Amino acid sequence: FIGLIVCNMFLLLCGIVGIKYFARIVEVPGRILGPFVMVMLIIGAYAYDNNLAHAGMVIVLGALAYWMDKFNFSTIPVILGFVMGPIIE
């Protein structure tokens, strides 16, 4: 329990010190930030289980979400379905 408190205090200190640097992410143009986030998502999905199918699923679902957003469909039900589907079953 003490370790949890110490970790939270450390994270609070990091947040207070780094807030001016974290806020600068807003200044990065979307055409640069978007592909960077997508690459990080693909790397994280692959690193989760060392399975290339997970990275492919990120790409396919990202494309699906892009097209749904482009044609004014709500992406929230799809996200909730993928997140909550295995939990509900």
Side-chain angles (χ1 to χ4, degrees):
F1 185 72
I2 301 266
L4 183 64
I5 293 173
V6 171
C7 287
N8 279 323
M9 296 304 272
F10 178 72
L11 285 175
L12 178 67
L13 180 67
C14 287
I16 290 172
V17 170
I19 190 72
K20 61 183 172 183
Y21 304 111
F22 302 147
R24 295 192 60 189
I25 292 175
V26 175
E27 298 173 3
V28 177
R31 67 182 190 281
I32 294 171
L33 189 60
F36 177 75
V37 169
M38 191 65 181
V39 167
M40 291 293 115
L41 286 171
I42 292 169
I43 290 171
Y46 178 74
Y48 175 72
D49 200 23
N50 290 336
N51 190 351
L52 203 55
H54 291 181
M57 188 170 67
V58 168
I59 293 170
V60 169
L61 291 175
L64 176 68
Y66 173 77
W67 288 107
M68 287 179 70
D69 190 44
K70 188 170 182 152
F71 292 116
N72 294 324
F73 287 104
S74 179
T75 56
I76 294 176
V78 175
I79 294 170
L80 284 174
F82 273 99
V83 171
M84 299 296 290
I87 296 171
I88 291 173
E89 286 189 19

